[in-house]
Amino acid sequence: MLKITYEDGGATETIQYDSAKDFMANQRLEVPDLEDYYKIQNVTLDGKPIDLDDKTIIGLYKHFDDQASKSLNDPSKKHPPSNY
């Protein structure tokens, strides 16, 4: 479970996603749930805090995107042939 507490104008809001993957898919929509510039106060994944350098929604998206890229480039991970 991904839980994000963020600032929307002067108000503090909280939103939850089943996974980081669901959050990223939503942010790719033409009209996502969250604006890229919203400031994050707190974010946890499965109850564990995530430390961000860029504490915005786009910063969180990039954090997960970077993790996914590293995982794909990790030679210890087995991947199916590219023609699948």
Side-chain angles (χ1 to χ4, degrees):
M1 175 83 52
L2 178 68
K3 183 176 178 182
I4 305 167
T5 304
Y6 63 96
E7 294 175 22
D8 178 6
T12 299
E13 310 261 343
T14 299
I15 192 167
Q16 294 183 13
Y17 295 91
D18 289 334
S19 66
K21 198 178 210 179
D22 288 346
F23 162 75
M24 291 183 71
N26 183 277
Q27 287 305 111
R28 290 185 191 113
L29 296 174
E30 186 173 338
V31 182
D33 290 338
L34 305 168
E35 296 290 339
D36 290 345
Y37 61 85
Y38 285 172
K39 292 187 180 194
I40 294 175
Q41 290 184 345
N42 184 38
V43 60
T44 59
L45 181 59
D46 299 329
K48 297 175 185 172
I50 297 174
D51 186 33
L52 299 171
D53 293 328
D54 178 359
K55 296 181 187 301
T56 62
I57 296 301
I58 192 65
L60 180 60
Y61 181 92
K62 288 178 180 177
H63 171 81
F64 289 132
D65 193 48
D66 288 347
Q67 282 188 335
S69 293
K70 287 177 186 174
S71 177
L72 288 174
N73 293 323
D74 185 348
S76 68
K77 306 278 184 191
K78 296 192 184 232
H79 300 287
S82 60
N83 61 349
Y84 283 142

